[in-house]
Amino acid sequence: MKYFFFITLLSFSLFSVAQTDPRIPSAKDLIRYNPSKNRMYQKGWIDFNKNGKMDVYEDPTATIENRIEDLLSQMTIDEKTCQMVTLYGYKRVLADDLPTPEWKNKLWKDGIGAIDEHLNGFQQWGLPPSDNPFVWPASRHAWALNEVQRFFIEETRLGIPVDFTNEGIRGVENYIATNFPTQLGLGHTWNRNLINKVGYITGREGRLLGYTNIYTPILDVGRDQRWGRYEEVYGECPYLVAELGIAMTKGVQRDYQVAATAKHYIAYSNNKGGREGMARVDPQMSPREVENVHVYPWKRVIAEAGLLGVMSAYNDYDGFPVQSSFYWLMTRLRGEMGFKGYVVSDSDAVEYLHAKHGTSENMKESVRQSVEAGLNVRCTFRSPDSYVLPLRELIHEGGLSIETINNRVRDILRVKFLTGLFDSPYQMDLKAADNEVNSLKNQEIALQASRESLVLLKNEGKLLPLSKDKIKTISVCGPNTDDAAYALTHYGPLAVDVVSVLDGLKTKVNGQANILYTKGCDIVDANWPESEILPTPLTSEEQQEIDKAVANALKSDITIVVLGGNSRTCGENKSRSSLELPGRQSDLLKAVQATGKPVVLVMINGRPNSINWADKYVPAILEAWYPGSQGGTAIADVLFGDYNPGGKLTVTFPKSVGQIPFNFPHKPASQVDGGKTPGLKGNMSRVNGALYPFGYGLSYTTFKYSDISLSAKSITDKQDVTVTCKITNTGDCAGDEVVQLYTRDVISSVTTYEKNLRGFERVHLKRGETKEVSFTLHPRDFELYDIHNEWVVEPGDFDIMIGASSEDIRLKDKLSVVPYGTTITKAVDMGLNESVKMVLDNNEYTEWNGTTGDFLNIIMDENAQPEKIDIYWKSIEHPAAFEIQLSSGGGQFITVYKGNITDTEKYSTYIFKKAVASDLRILITSGKATISEVKLDNVKR
């Protein structure tokens, strides 16, 4: 519980300062915020420009676009340029926590676009959280941000509110807030509804604390497991990143409580060799891979979730820096994707144009290129003057047109109007901040996220779950056993109480078992990472600590080894050259395993590791990622069976770093290479296959897949199709299964991926329970980026696959897609018409056989209005059911009759509502049936 004591000491420090700082408001003033009794605050509106009348931009009933244009018409160049920059907050760039008289002489006397990370507690990398009295409690923090906001509203000419921005990829970054698993862990839940709740809590707590724009979600798609920021991605599949990104964005932006700013746009996450720093400029991707993998999530999140913010990345693509690319920031982002918010630069993206990329001569030229390209707000850890002053010079010299400036400022103002800053600029309910931020209710969602993020990789002999009744002594070791600092790093809450694995285990056994703990080893050794290529013997101190772990294991019924990484081995600027366990961790694991006692390995880390030895010799392995502040509780729940793990991998585990790039999705046969026979006389030259594939994950129960069904076997390229199947829990306990749907374009004009994830659902099933799972596939799910660089749906067959992982496919079917305008019935003429002829030839000895999903299409005369059909069912296999569907053209069919097939060897008559129809379809919806004849009026012969 070391974190509790640390937080207690820091909180005591904040309390002590609060007793002596005269600026601290009283308790009664922290219930509801009351701005100064200034006449500018009118009933129902605010007189921002203090002219005594309601201007259009001050009128809540006016349209947003009219309000923007009215305000823009009143702004000077100085006021416009101040909106185009971020001021980093307290102890980053801004020296003051609250406004001072000197602010009237600063650049921001004319306003400011955004203030980032102000009073959130973060100081610098490696430093403890700030002890400023305004970081906590929540009500006081919100009051302080209100006071800063009040300066911009009351003390600037036009009163334009500031946008308070902050990070939020695992909970809003604040001294204290609800602390979730890192985004990689959240991805492994495969739970859209849960991610939406995480997003809502993040946005809600952010707004209660005074923030109005949260930097989340990360839409980067992980493609190189060595990359340091792998802990920040949802996974390596663009479809999954898009789906969870949509859910997160909708949650954060619900009711426009705050804006969500996604990052990092674009093609950022596949750097050369997985490296960062200066090598970030050279991602190893073809143009088609960029479109299929990296552009895909952005298009969908912008279109389907209304994303209000985009952070432009500082890499280049194909020699063109994204930050100065009109193509990427305007043509694609705004023109094609329809983005309506504002673009903020990532860190020194503007400065890198001259300092790293060499495509600009100096800062002034870098500013010009960035603004021309589409940048709205420069955001980095530098004085805002360094950007605004050269920006103003360019305008006065004619280097940038006022039309361009106006366009950039319009986007900034639009976001501020949408999030209500001109109508409700203050966080009024201060007490709500104390009641809701990191509340028990929110922590319950965080614990659910921690539990659902866990992935069971191996469980040989059903070693897990453990039984408290049978285990008397537990040995626990490993550098991550009693260290949970991973939950308190940057981009999330900084000072919450964290439950380590050791804490969780002690609470779980509650004295019923004796726990023996020793660390065993550190995360890294003294020579790491050089020791990965030049190994050194264990020091005597290292050997002694491993010996302690072995001694404990020999005295125990079970040993739990908690290994992995932390901020030393993973994170921003922490890319690796190996995926092996760092330091002496493998030595510790092998020594404990050699005791012959049962061993459970728990991995806490921010990337996949090549744990080949553990996979072969350790009976049980649980992957926990960075599981948030309640990770220790969640892990203990899983180890002792109080929660059945159901997470699935959103990333591939390579067996060796030498296999990289190795991920999903991939081209056919692209991840198999060389021979398959090892040894002296073999032909195998490299390891093949994944250690654990995309979508993989075990459970304490088992699941049966059955009854795949398509709503249609053939559709046009404009139609949706529904795919259903049944999942049954065939094991001994309740559990979650992540049902995954994949497609494959069988024949295409360009090479496509071997499998495309196009649907997933996390389903909870009680013991013996069966549920039907339904997926809707849209035309976009069949698209490919063709040889003309256009997204199209090509006619042809698609394999439909449902499984428990990308390599564990349980059900298969096939779907045909025909061009819109060709219509389904024309497709019948091209191949199915012989079947139709057999049931319309007045010959009961010719027949058509159909199984579930098969259908007959019959073309009708022009203006035909069928209302009755006679069908001679020759034979059926019970139970059998069917539908009669009508189409009035274009391939769209509507069901007019559905029923079971009961009588055979005679005609059955079916009557339905009369309607004009160009086509009639008989669809077998379950079982098998044989039709020998059909009687139907107005059939086209």
Side-chain angles (χ1 to χ4, degrees):
M1 299 296 287
K2 64 186 76 172
Y3 305 99
F4 174 77
F5 295 125
F6 163 73
I7 294 164
T8 300
L9 288 172
L10 198 52
S11 298
F12 179 77
S13 173
L14 295 176
F15 177 79
S16 299
V17 174
Q19 301 307 300
T20 59
D21 192 329
R23 303 173 302 165
I24 302 295
S26 65
K28 66 181 179 62
D29 292 326
L30 292 177
I31 296 175
R32 186 166 182 82
Y33 184 71
N34 291 307
S36 66
K37 295 180 180 180
N38 192 310
R39 286 186 299 176
M40 64 183 294
Y41 300 104
Q42 301 290 321
K43 186 176 182 180
W45 65 284
I46 301 172
D47 187 10
F48 289 104
N49 63 6
K50 303 117 185 135
N51 66 357
K53 66 175 184 178
M54 184 190 291
D55 292 77
V56 174
Y57 86 91
E58 299 164 344
D59 182 0
T61 66
T63 67
I64 286 179
E65 293 306 316
N66 286 342
R67 297 177 80 178
I68 291 171
E69 294 308 315
D70 179 62
L71 176 54
L72 198 62
S73 70
Q74 299 185 41
M75 295 173 72
T76 65
I77 292 297
D78 286 355
E79 289 163 338
K80 290 175 182 177
T81 52
C82 276
Q83 289 298 308
M84 298 174 67
V85 72
T86 286
L87 170 63
Y88 254 84
Y90 180 62
K91 285 195 174 182
R92 308 301 298 281
V93 171
L94 185 58
D96 309 306
D97 48 10
L98 295 180
T100 69
E102 282 300 308
W103 284 25
K104 294 290 288 183
N105 301 317
K106 298 289 188 179
L107 178 86
W108 50 93
K109 70 183 185 301
D110 296 310
I112 204 78
I115 298 181
D116 194 36
E117 297 190 86
H118 187 53
L119 293 172
N120 68 352
F122 184 78
Q123 297 190 92
Q124 294 290 344
W125 296 98
L127 294 180
S130 170
D131 60 357
N132 181 280
F134 296 110
V135 301
W136 196 253
S139 57
R140 192 190 299 160
H141 177 80
W143 177 90
L145 265 59
N146 280 342
E147 286 294 287
V148 176
Q149 186 72 278
R150 193 160 67 88
F151 169 85
F152 291 98
I153 291 172
E154 296 184 5
E155 302 297 332
T156 64
R157 187 179 73 90
L158 295 176
I160 301 173
V162 67
D163 199 6
F164 284 105
T165 58
N166 199 1
E167 302 286 349
I169 60 174
R170 51 183 183 82
V172 64
E173 183 181 41
N174 198 62
Y175 180 75
I176 290 176
T178 303
N179 186 299
F180 298 99
T182 50
Q183 193 167 296
L184 183 60
L186 291 173
H188 282 79
T189 69
W190 296 69
N191 189 333
R192 298 176 186 85
N193 184 54
L194 175 61
I195 300 305
N196 183 262
K197 291 179 181 178
V198 171
Y200 175 72
I201 291 170
T202 301
R204 171 68 175 167
E205 292 190 352
R207 190 67 189 93
L208 287 171
L209 288 162
Y211 300 104
T212 55
N213 192 323
I214 306 298
Y215 292 164
T216 190
I218 288 182
L219 297 181
D220 299 320
V221 181
R223 302 300 283 173
D224 191 323
Q225 293 87 338
R226 295 168 294 184
W227 188 43
R229 304 192 79 167
Y230 226 74
E231 64 186 45
E232 298 179 9
V233 303
Y234 284 126
E236 65 189 20
C237 169
Y239 177 85
L240 180 130
V241 171
E243 291 287 313
L244 299 187
I246 290 166
M248 183 72 175
T249 301
K250 286 182 175 180
V252 171
Q253 293 189 167
R254 189 185 303 175
D255 300 324
Y256 290 117
Q257 60 182 357
V258 296
T261 293
K263 51 188 187 177
H264 306 84
Y265 180 86
I266 195 163
Y268 172 74
S269 56
N270 192 16
N271 308 302
K272 187 175 183 180
R275 291 184 289 271
E276 298 185 73
M278 299 300 285
R280 277 187 272 226
V281 302
D282 194 13
Q284 303 299 287
M285 293 169 283
S286 69
R288 187 157 276 102
E289 183 177 357
V290 168
E291 298 299 329
N292 284 324
V293 174
H294 298 279
V295 174
Y296 179 90
W298 290 93
K299 289 170 59 177
R300 289 197 55 204
V301 174
I302 289 168
E304 297 174 47
L307 183 71
L308 291 178
V310 163
M311 181 178 285
S312 56
Y314 34 61
N315 59 281
D316 73 342
Y317 177 67
D318 195 27
F320 297 94
V322 173
Q323 185 56 80
S324 60
S325 172
F326 187 91
Y327 171 77
W328 283 115
L329 297 184
M330 293 298 291
T331 304
R332 298 299 304 276
L333 183 63
R334 295 195 182 278
E336 178 187 305
M337 299 184 203
F339 177 65
K340 301 297 184 185
Y342 75 73
V343 177
V344 58
S345 66
D346 184 9
S347 188
D348 275 352
V350 176
E351 286 76 3
Y352 281 174
L353 296 179
H354 59 271
K356 182 170 78 169
H357 297 295
T359 55
S360 165
E361 182 180 2
N362 52 37
M363 181 60 181
K364 186 175 177 179
E365 174 60 15
S366 295
V367 171
R368 188 196 67 77
Q369 290 183 11
S370 297
V371 176
E372 285 279 13
L375 179 67
N376 299 101
V377 175
R378 193 284 296 266
C379 176
T380 193
F381 317 107
R382 301 176 186 269
S383 163
D385 304 60
S386 62
Y387 182 81
V388 171
L389 297 183
L391 178 59
R392 289 174 179 172
E393 285 182 22
L394 287 162
I395 296 169
H396 292 310
E397 296 168 358
L400 282 169
S401 70
I402 192 62
E403 180 183 3
T404 297
I405 299 300
N406 286 343
N407 284 335
R408 302 298 173 264
V409 175
R410 280 188 180 97
D411 300 326
I412 302 165
L413 297 177
R414 183 178 299 109
V415 173
K416 292 186 176 185
F417 277 112
L418 283 169
T419 54
L421 279 175
F422 284 90
D423 301 319
S424 302
Y426 302 113
Q427 202 294 79
M428 304 297 288
D429 193 352
L430 302 179
K431 189 64 177 176
D434 289 333
N435 292 337
E436 292 188 43
V437 175
N438 200 33
S439 66
L440 291 177
K441 181 179 179 181
N442 291 350
Q443 288 181 43
E444 289 176 3
I445 301 300
L447 178 58
Q448 179 189 355
S450 296
R451 287 168 171 159
E452 292 196 18
S453 70
L454 305 181
V455 183
L456 185 62
L457 298 178
K458 186 180 179 183
N459 194 21
E460 187 177 275
K462 295 185 178 181
L463 177 60
L464 295 177
L466 306 176
S467 171
K468 285 183 284 186
D469 296 331
K470 297 179 181 179
I471 295 175
K472 301 304 179 184
T473 304
I474 303 172
S475 169
V476 190
C477 63
N480 276 332
T481 304
D482 196 30
D483 182 6
Y486 61 81
L488 302 175
T489 56
H490 198 26
Y491 302 134
L494 303 169
V496 297
D497 190 14
V498 179
V499 181
S500 69
V501 175
L502 186 60
D503 295 332
L505 291 173
K506 287 180 177 179
T507 300
K508 180 63 64 176
V509 299
N510 194 27
Q512 289 182 254
N514 184 31
I515 293 181
L516 306 177
Y517 166 68
T518 191
K519 189 174 184 180
C521 67
D522 291 314
I523 287 288
V524 301
D525 60 79
N527 298 312
W528 191 86
E530 188 177 72
S531 57
E532 292 186 333
I533 58 174
L534 292 173
T536 57
L538 291 164
T539 66
S540 58
E541 292 81 3
E542 290 171 334
Q543 186 62 61
Q544 287 173 10
E545 183 59 22
I546 290 177
D547 290 344
K548 289 180 185 178
V550 169
N552 284 346
L554 289 169
K555 293 182 285 186
S556 303
D557 301 306
I558 189 96
T559 296
I560 299 170
V561 186
V562 190
L563 306 179
N566 60 14
S567 59
R568 176 66 181 87
T569 64
C570 194
E572 193 166 2
N573 294 309
K574 298 290 176 61
S575 294
R576 289 190 61 191
S577 53
S578 169
L579 294 179
E580 302 297 321
L581 287 171
R584 307 302 192 184
Q585 295 186 53
S586 290
D587 298 284
L588 172 64
L589 182 62
K590 291 175 181 178
V592 171
Q593 177 69 17
T595 64
K597 294 298 185 77
V599 174
V600 176
L601 172 61
V602 177
M603 293 290 296
I604 295 179
N605 48 4
R607 63 159 62 83
N609 286 115
S610 296
I611 49 173
N612 296 285
W613 190 91
D615 178 67
K616 186 169 184 177
Y617 297 107
V618 176
I621 305 173
L622 180 69
E623 176 59 71
W625 309 111
Y626 291 152
S629 62
Q630 299 187 71
T633 300
I635 290 168
D637 286 344
V638 166
L639 294 181
F640 283 91
D642 294 317
Y643 184 81
N644 186 355
K648 300 274 190 172
L649 294 182
T650 66
V651 294
T652 300
F653 277 55
K655 292 178 179 176
S656 165
V657 73
Q659 293 176 291
I660 293 174
F662 197 81
N663 40 40
F664 177 93
H666 54 83
K667 300 289 182 63
S670 64
Q671 296 191 166
V672 177
D673 185 28
K676 296 182 179 180
T677 307
L680 290 173
K681 297 182 180 180
N683 62 354
M684 191 175 179
S685 60
R686 67 183 301 170
V687 294
N688 287 321
L691 182 60
Y692 306 112
F694 177 86
Y696 171 84
L698 303 177
S699 171
Y700 294 153
T701 189
T702 55
F703 299 96
K704 176 186 175 182
Y705 288 62
S706 65
D707 299 313
I708 186 173
S709 176
L710 277 62
S711 61
K713 287 291 188 127
S714 182
I715 59 172
T716 73
D717 53 8
K718 305 293 184 184
Q719 281 183 280
D720 294 344
V721 64
T722 301
V723 183
T724 59
C725 69
K726 291 181 180 178
I727 309 297
T728 302
N729 183 340
T730 56
D732 298 327
C733 61
D736 291 359
E737 175 69 335
V738 177
V739 186
Q740 303 156 46
L741 184 147
Y742 297 90
T743 65
R744 168 74 188 277
D745 194 341
V746 178
I747 300 176
S748 52
S749 61
V750 297
T751 303
T752 57
Y753 295 114
E754 191 170 88
K755 294 186 184 78
N756 291 284
L757 180 69
R758 287 296 179 259
F760 60 86
E761 291 295 334
R762 184 166 182 142
V763 183
H764 181 77
L765 293 167
K766 299 175 184 177
R767 177 183 176 183
E769 184 179 12
T770 297
K771 286 184 179 179
E772 183 175 86
V773 181
S774 178
F775 305 95
T776 299
L777 295 176
H778 307 287
R780 66 161 183 262
D781 295 318
F782 303 106
E783 286 183 334
L784 60 77
Y785 197 60
D786 72 2
I787 57 175
H788 304 294
N789 297 330
E790 295 178 354
W791 286 99
V792 300
V793 179
E794 292 185 343
D797 291 339
F798 288 81
D799 289 332
I800 308 298
M801 299 162 278
I802 295 177
S805 83
S806 61
E807 294 187 4
D808 184 9
I809 300 301
R810 307 287 184 89
L811 303 171
K812 293 183 180 180
D813 209 328
K814 195 176 290 291
L815 175 74
S816 295
V817 176
V818 300
Y820 180 77
T822 302
T823 77
I824 304 298
T825 51
K826 290 183 181 177
V828 172
D829 290 338
M830 293 185 286
L832 300 179
N833 54 349
E834 291 302 318
S835 297
V836 175
K837 290 178 182 178
M838 285 191 291
V839 301
L840 296 173
D841 60 1
N842 294 316
N843 183 350
E844 295 180 5
Y845 296 99
T846 58
E847 57 193 34
W848 171 81
N849 298 294
T851 60
T852 302
D854 291 339
F855 58 85
L856 280 171
N857 268 10
I858 301 173
I859 305 174
M860 308 299 295
D861 286 333
E862 188 174 352
N863 297 320
Q865 298 184 53
E867 58 181 339
K868 184 186 76 167
I869 187 172
D870 297 313
I871 303 176
Y872 193 106
W873 301 104
K874 183 72 172 179
S875 63
I876 58 173
E877 290 187 14
H878 291 287
F882 76 108
E883 291 182 6
I884 297 171
Q885 301 175 337
L886 298 180
S887 173
S888 59
Q892 300 286 344
F893 281 84
I894 298 174
T895 299
V896 293
Y897 185 94
K898 62 172 61 178
N900 297 318
I901 307 170
T902 56
D903 299 325
T904 59
E905 298 288 344
K906 68 175 185 177
Y907 282 100
S908 296
T909 301
Y910 305 102
I911 299 173
F912 43 87
K913 186 176 180 180
K914 182 189 295 186
V916 175
S918 60
D919 313 272
L920 181 144
R921 171 185 289 176
I922 303 170
L923 170 68
I924 307 301
T925 56
S926 68
K928 295 182 180 180
T930 299
I931 299 175
S932 60
E933 279 299 303
V934 168
K935 292 182 179 180
L936 179 65
D937 294 334
N938 301 312
V939 172
K940 187 174 183 178
R941 301 289 178 176

